[in-house]
Amino acid sequence: MVLIQVFLVFAIIAALVAVEAPSALSSIISLGAVGFGLSIAFLWLGAPDIAITQVVVEIVTLVILIRATIARGVTEIRGNESKTLLIGSLILFGLGSAFFANYLSDFPEFGKSAMETFSNPASQFYLKFGLDKAGGPNIVNDILLDFRAFDTLGEATVLFAAILGAITLLNRKVFVDSGEEKQ
Amino acid sequence: MLPLFVAIPLGVGFLLPLIEEFRDRTRLFSLFVLLETGGLLALSLIKFGDKGIYRMGGWAPPFGINFVQDGLSSLILVVISGIAFVTTLFAITYMKEYENLGKFYGLFSLMLAGMYGVALTGDIFNMYVYLEVAAISSYALVGFNRGAEEIEASFKYLIMGAVGSVFILLGIALLYGSVGSLNIADISVKVSELPDDSFIVLSTALFIVGFGLKAAFIPFHSWLPDAHSSAPTPISAMLSGVLIKVLGIYALARLLFNGLNLPGIAPSILTWIGAGSMFIGGMLALGQKDLKRLLAYSSISQMGYITLAVGMGGILIGQGKPGIATLALMGGIFHLVNHATYKSLLFLFSGSVEKIFGSRDLSEIGGLNSVSPVSGAVGTIGTLSISGVPPFNGFWSKLVIVIAAIWGKLYPLAGIILFTSAITLAYYLKVQRQLFMGKSTGNVSESVKTSAGLYIPLLILAICCIGLGLLYLPEIRGIVLKPAALALQEGSEYTKLVLGL
Amino acid sequence: MLTYLLAFILFAVGLYSVINKRNLIKIIMGVIIMEHAVNAFLILVGYRMSGEAPIVEEGVSISEFLSTAVDPLPQALVITSIVISLGVVALMVGLAIRLYQHYGTFDITEIRKLRG
Amino acid sequence: MTGMSSIVKTVTRWVSPFIFAFGIYIALTGHLTPGGGFPGGVIIAGCFILLTLAYGKETTFGLFNLESSAVTDSLAALAFLCMGFLGYVFGGGFFNNFIQSGFPGTSFRLLSGGNMPIINLAIGLKVGASLFAVFAYLALFRAIEED
């Protein structure tokens, strides 16, 4: 429990460094530290699938971000925030956290998952019948590919659309006849 | 049958980019997509009025994902399919000179699939996933022209949309943590069993912010005018006509009315956000010179009417006036249908105006009535409908909303609605004076004036604008609008339909 | 309670970066951090004290498994949401690169052509 | 970009087939062990990204170029959709696990998952192809920019 909190605090510090560091390289590496710190926390939280996925995705994200900035010769990414917005966002943050803390005190305690607190939740069903009815010992994958396979189809579609969109937008030729780039 | 609504456009969306790798056949792609949207329109009309659920993979509702068709989703399906069909018809001629049409139509189909998914699903996380499918395709489509401004508008839209999605996901996480279910009907049962629903308020706030970003309610609206005016015209029509409604107000209303049982002050917040969007959007539209930007701001204002009517329905349910609440919800849904038709009409019209004059700046163009009478007549019908002049459909839906506000004794709201209607009339009169009357300026494209491919879809929508006024008649209203309003109002019916209790 | 609040603070750091920073890459980073925070929150919601991964091992009885395994549903949701955020990031970086090509900078204040 | 030093090239040549096989393995056995189609796919993409970085894009794109990755992407997505349709036709609904009922009592084996390994493999190929496509496009885009 304390360990998890330590990793979360580590992630917060890394996130602050990532947001504030002026150098592109240290900023991107700190962003990687957020993801890796969280993935270790996920291992402690009994989620090895997520930890693996988080690590591989973090690597790809870092490669893409480095490709976009440092490989392009951009070494400094300063935030340049405005003072008024900063004060405004601090006030907003104060109000927001007060709001959160007020309602979060009614939230089920940490370490008591919803599946224990409520009668007949879906998760109990998955754990109980996943092996027999879907056929895999890894219940998370049973949910992904059998019980909620339609979600996974949507997820694959999101990736497909994003990649198709990125490729379309990076393509320079817009019109058939001109062949010139639109300025 | 219900999964076909998602599966067919997904299949087309995966297939077209594949075909494009081998052979670039623009005409083939257009006909393919026309066939697809036409088929879906036919399917949605055949299925109209059916009630039932479809269990994905055969798993019963709280455990698996299910599709729900009730009065409201039937109507939304018809609206999506209809606008998509007309837009495709327009795009065949309009997009002719573009490269990469396989990718364009592929993304278009994926966007369609996402909207159908949101309209049909009965599962809150599945709704988020299909919302993302539709949103991501639309981000890419907004930047399809790939000029500096288009890319910038697309980036702005993408960032605000992504933040909205994260808020929605956080809301879903909180809701799951507090009730332990993802099925909307099951959530409704569990929420009503909770001893106190105070942390539902937190999810509700996050949902209002998240869906508000998608629907461009007033504090979160800044992406909309850029995105809708930068997109290729058929996409602008889709975005303003259906996307912001399905992803924004429809999804939000579904969750608040059917899932969360209308917590506390949520309806009044929704009402005042709607009133603010309506008024401020109208004021901002007054100052616009670019025709497409004016239409985009007017979309914010018109979304305000729908939101206000839906929120007002919620308030009236809370006050124990179910009859008037039904009327308010019916007004909102009626206005949603009407806005889908006339805003798509006006956006497609702005595209044809841009083709004729080569510009969208209202101070540079004019004399459309003498240049192209068909286009002028269609545009006149569109502007008269949206500003609420009697025989056209926009008048009837505004009338229903005002009547509901007065009967529900919400006089300030009725006042704001009437005042905003006057503003709407004012800025569309400005458009009429400059665009239709005015003096004809030089360099008019002759080929566009006679192009039937551009005018047939406009004429179809114009006929709809006149014809949809008939929905006001009590007999037709009882078949089309009332089931849709009752689907929102009577949460227990929805629960019964899904869980079979 | 404190653990949940830490996830919210991570979320707030991301939101702060999106709202305040005037640099495309920093904004993208803010969105990534927010998505990380929500994923962490979902996993925290599904955790039970001293729980084990929801993977059945041979020879373990179902009742024993039921009493130790953590909630698998949030984990499935998080995998989906990680993939979605990867798609969003890919699209964002593609757009940022196009903007960089047009304007030669990642700084928003120099990019704004569209206002209002 | 012509690639890195010969040490890197040699190591990459030895390692990359194993990385590829590992990616396929992670994807195929997702229902048995932690992992699944998505991490597997990213590992497959990582294999090709490694090849591109080590050998330069000319060499790698001769092996697996943008067109083939786009085709793989679409075909794998269609395969995934088809599995859903087959469930619709043969089973009780869209995405019904219709193969699984044919192998009762084979828990903890590859076959016990029914159509899950097939879907996982499709997702793996799809994700690998699409992520490689993004990487390749970013590389190509920069090459165009420098002209």
Side-chain angles (χ1 to χ4, degrees):
Chain A
M1 171 113 170
V2 178
L3 212 59
I4 293 159
Q5 287 170 355
V6 168
F7 277 114
L8 281 174
V9 170
F10 171 75
I12 292 170
I13 293 169
L16 277 173
V17 174
V19 167
E20 291 299 339
S23 141
L25 191 62
S26 54
S27 183
I28 291 173
I29 287 175
S30 308
L31 187 71
V34 179
F36 288 123
L38 284 180
S39 68
I40 295 171
F42 290 158
L43 268 183
W44 283 101
L45 288 164
D49 287 273
I50 317 295
I52 292 175
T53 313
Q54 179 78 61
V55 166
V56 290
V57 166
E58 206 55 50
I59 292 168
V60 172
T61 312
L62 293 191
V63 168
I64 291 177
L65 275 178
I66 287 178
R67 198 81 229 171
T69 55
I70 296 168
R72 198 164 294 273
V74 179
T75 49
E76 270 199 20
I77 40 172
R78 290 190 182 282
N80 298 333
E81 72 241 28
S82 66
K83 280 270 161 11
T84 46
L85 266 177
L86 184 68
I87 296 164
S89 67
L90 279 178
I91 295 170
L92 209 71
F93 176 69
L95 286 175
S97 51
F99 191 65
F100 273 130
N102 183 20
Y103 285 109
L104 213 60
S105 53
D106 297 337
F107 202 70
E109 213 175 305
F110 174 67
K112 284 194 100 175
S113 69
M115 96 183 155
E116 288 177 283
T117 341
F118 296 95
S119 61
N120 188 31
S123 311
Q124 292 280 7
F125 177 84
Y126 298 145
L127 288 176
K128 216 181 265 176
F129 300 112
L131 183 57
D132 293 337
K133 294 205 170 172
N138 185 350
I139 308 294
V140 176
N141 255 273
D142 287 345
I143 297 174
L144 275 176
L145 301 174
D146 195 332
F147 296 107
R148 298 179 68 91
F150 200 63
D151 263 357
T152 313
L153 178 65
E155 161 207 320
T157 312
V158 167
L159 198 61
F160 186 86
I163 306 300
L164 189 64
I167 289 175
T168 312
L169 292 176
L170 287 174
N171 198 338
R172 320 180 121 206
K173 209 164 162 229
V174 179
F175 295 105
V176 171
D177 45 0
S178 67
E180 292 284 309
E181 193 190 348
K182 197 186 166 200
Q183 280 299 333
Chain B
M1 287 296 268
L2 285 180
L4 286 182
F5 278 109
V6 176
I8 291 174
L10 275 188
V12 173
F14 294 148
L15 202 61
L16 290 186
L18 180 64
I19 299 174
E20 200 194 46
E21 289 296 324
F22 297 108
R23 196 159 289 172
D24 199 354
R25 285 274 178 80
T26 310
R27 207 149 269 276
L28 180 86
F29 293 153
S30 322
L31 286 178
F32 211 69
V33 177
L34 193 66
L35 208 66
E36 173 208 351
T37 47
L40 288 168
L41 178 60
L43 197 62
S44 63
L45 284 173
I46 293 167
K47 298 275 293 172
F48 187 82
D50 284 9
K51 278 189 180 177
I53 70 167
Y54 185 87
R55 300 183 171 91
M56 289 292 164
W59 299 109
F63 310 125
I65 293 165
N66 59 304
F67 268 12
V68 187
Q69 190 184 22
D70 58 5
L72 185 58
S73 26
S74 299
L75 190 63
I76 294 285
L77 286 184
V78 174
V79 172
I80 299 173
S81 317
I83 303 297
F85 179 71
V86 176
T87 311
T88 321
L89 211 58
F90 185 83
I92 290 176
T93 318
Y94 187 84
M95 301 296 291
K96 226 186 315 186
E97 70 229 43
Y98 282 84
E99 189 81 9
N100 290 327
L101 277 189
K103 295 194 176 80
F104 174 81
Y105 283 124
L107 286 168
F108 183 83
S109 288
L110 293 179
M111 182 168 91
L112 216 53
M115 284 193 282
Y116 283 123
V118 173
L120 281 170
T121 188
D123 186 281
I124 183 168
F125 189 76
N126 197 241
M127 183 182 271
Y128 164 77
V129 171
Y130 280 88
L131 191 131
E132 281 292 275
V133 172
I136 285 187
S137 321
S138 70
Y139 305 144
L141 285 169
V142 164
F144 192 75
N145 277 342
R146 281 158 274 175
E149 281 177 30
E150 284 85 356
I151 296 284
E152 196 184 326
S154 176
F155 191 82
K156 207 168 168 183
Y157 179 26
L158 172 53
I159 292 296
M160 297 192 73
V163 172
S165 303
V166 175
F167 271 95
I168 294 169
L169 190 58
L170 186 59
I172 292 173
L174 276 164
L175 200 58
Y176 181 78
S178 43
V179 299
S181 182
L182 291 170
N183 188 288
I184 295 177
D186 200 32
I187 287 172
S188 159
V189 173
K190 293 215 162 113
V191 166
S192 59
E193 284 169 359
L194 280 176
D196 76 314
D197 62 347
S198 58
F199 42 75
I200 300 301
V201 175
L202 195 53
S203 302
T204 312
L206 287 165
F207 285 144
I208 289 181
V209 175
F211 288 109
L213 275 161
K214 300 268 179 197
F217 294 153
I218 210 65
F220 317 117
H221 68 285
S222 63
W223 59 269
L224 187 137
D226 296 339
H228 287 203
S229 59
S230 304
T233 298
I235 300 305
S236 308
M238 279 305 277
L239 292 182
S240 256
V242 281
L243 191 92
I244 50 172
K245 301 192 183 69
V246 176
L247 263 55
I249 189 69
Y250 168 80
L252 185 58
R254 226 348 151 215
L255 286 183
L256 288 186
F257 281 76
N258 292 141
L260 297 172
N261 304 341
L262 282 179
I265 55 168
S268 28
I269 292 176
L270 213 56
T271 309
W272 287 106
I273 286 178
S277 305
M278 194 167 83
F279 181 69
I280 299 172
M283 291 306 262
L284 288 171
L286 264 180
Q288 297 301 317
K289 285 210 166 56
D290 183 325
L291 180 57
K292 266 185 143 182
R293 280 185 89 81
L294 187 144
L295 292 176
Y297 277 109
S298 134
S299 277
I300 297 175
S301 168
Q302 299 287 318
M303 278 298 282
Y305 280 99
I306 302 168
T307 316
L308 181 139
V310 170
M312 203 159 72
I315 293 179
L316 291 168
I317 291 172
Q319 289 176 353
K321 296 172 184 163
I324 307 167
T326 315
L327 195 68
L329 289 173
M330 259 162 45
I333 293 159
F334 192 9
H335 201 72
L336 190 152
V337 176
N338 290 343
H339 183 239
T341 50
Y342 53 63
K343 193 45 70 67
S344 334
L345 169 64
L346 284 171
F347 264 114
L348 296 182
F349 164 75
S350 80
S352 69
V353 166
E354 196 182 358
K355 285 249 170 180
I356 293 175
F357 293 106
S359 166
R360 305 191 303 236
D361 195 330
L362 283 172
S363 56
E364 287 173 16
I365 54 183
L368 190 66
N369 277 346
S370 56
V371 175
S372 166
V374 187
S375 191
V378 170
T380 313
I381 293 175
T383 47
L384 288 180
S385 311
I386 199 169
S387 40
V389 174
F392 301 103
N393 58 0
F395 170 74
W396 301 109
S397 51
K398 283 181 192 174
L399 185 68
V400 176
I401 298 175
V402 173
I403 290 175
I406 292 172
W407 283 2
K409 300 200 169 56
L410 300 164
Y411 301 116
L413 291 178
I416 296 176
I417 296 169
L418 290 174
F419 186 63
T420 313
S421 299
I423 298 174
T424 314
L425 190 61
Y427 59 77
Y428 280 108
L429 279 179
K430 187 182 95 176
V431 172
Q432 296 208 338
R433 206 187 61 228
Q434 287 182 334
L435 182 55
F436 301 131
M437 315 301 175
K439 234 194 283 168
S440 166
T441 46
N443 53 32
V444 173
S445 167
E446 286 296 325
S447 63
V448 181
K449 272 167 63 179
T450 50
S451 165
L454 290 182
Y455 291 136
I456 291 171
L458 288 175
L459 283 172
I460 295 175
L461 283 172
I463 292 165
C464 286
C465 275
I466 301 168
L468 279 176
L470 292 175
L471 284 180
Y472 184 71
L473 295 176
E475 293 81 20
I476 305 176
R477 189 167 60 187
I479 301 168
V480 180
L481 294 175
K482 203 161 185 200
L486 290 180
L488 281 182
Q489 196 178 344
E490 290 175 358
S492 57
E493 290 289 316
Y494 181 83
T495 326
K496 211 182 282 174
L497 182 68
V498 176
L499 297 177
L501 294 172
Chain C
M1 177 63 199
L2 178 66
T3 325
Y4 289 141
L5 212 59
L6 287 174
F8 277 121
I9 292 172
L10 193 59
F11 185 83
V13 171
L15 190 60
Y16 156 79
S17 180
V18 172
I19 293 175
N20 273 12
K21 295 294 173 179
R22 292 282 163 270
N23 187 301
L24 298 182
I25 300 295
K26 294 275 182 193
I27 291 175
I28 293 174
M29 284 180 173
V31 175
I32 295 175
I33 291 169
M34 280 165 86
E35 272 156 356
H36 278 332
V38 176
N39 292 342
F41 183 76
L42 261 169
I43 296 291
L44 290 177
V45 161
Y47 185 65
R48 62 151 52 134
M49 275 305 159
S50 58
E52 305 258 325
I55 299 174
V56 188
E57 281 165 30
E58 280 189 277
V60 176
S61 71
I62 278 292
S63 60
E64 194 187 334
F65 177 62
L66 269 178
S67 61
T68 54
V70 300
D71 193 346
L73 187 52
Q75 298 194 12
L77 305 188
V78 168
I79 288 200
T80 308
S81 99
I82 287 178
V83 181
I84 290 176
S85 54
L86 180 62
V88 172
V89 168
L91 192 55
M92 278 197 280
V93 172
L95 281 170
I97 288 175
R98 274 312 285 243
L99 280 175
Y100 186 81
Q101 183 218 350
H102 277 297
Y103 296 96
T105 174
F106 283 123
D107 192 343
I108 276 193
T109 46
E110 291 170 41
I111 287 174
R112 294 216 166 156
K113 217 178 204 177
L114 301 168
R115 281 173 195 277
Chain D
M1 208 161 52
T2 52
M4 296 185 182
S5 70
S6 60
I7 299 173
V8 178
K9 282 186 181 174
T10 316
V11 171
T12 309
R13 183 163 32 195
W14 282 103
V15 163
S16 57
F18 289 104
I19 300 181
F20 187 77
F22 182 62
I24 298 279
Y25 170 79
I26 288 271
L28 262 180
T29 59
H31 63 294
L32 302 173
T33 52
F38 188 75
V42 182
I43 292 171
I44 293 171
C47 169
F48 283 102
I49 291 175
L50 181 66
L51 279 176
T52 317
L53 290 177
Y55 282 90
K57 55 178 171 287
E58 287 75 18
T59 322
T60 315
F61 286 4
L63 188 69
F64 194 75
N65 59 10
L66 273 173
E67 282 73 33
S68 49
S69 67
V71 169
T72 318
D73 198 0
S74 285
L75 280 179
L78 278 172
F80 188 5
L81 190 64
C82 278
M83 288 310 289
F85 256 115
L86 289 177
Y88 189 56
V89 176
F90 294 113
F94 208 70
F95 277 115
N96 192 297
N97 196 342
F98 62 98
I99 302 177
Q100 194 252 333
S101 46
F103 296 95
T106 52
S107 310
F108 304 105
R109 298 286 175 275
L110 187 62
L111 285 177
S112 70
N115 59 7
M116 283 201 283
I118 304 173
I119 297 182
N120 253 336
L121 193 61
I123 297 177
L125 289 178
K126 203 212 95 64
V127 170
S130 48
L131 288 182
F132 179 70
V134 164
F135 179 78
Y137 244 97
L138 288 180
L140 277 184
F141 190 73
R142 192 158 147 260
I144 299 168
E145 214 177 352
E146 279 164 0
D147 286 344

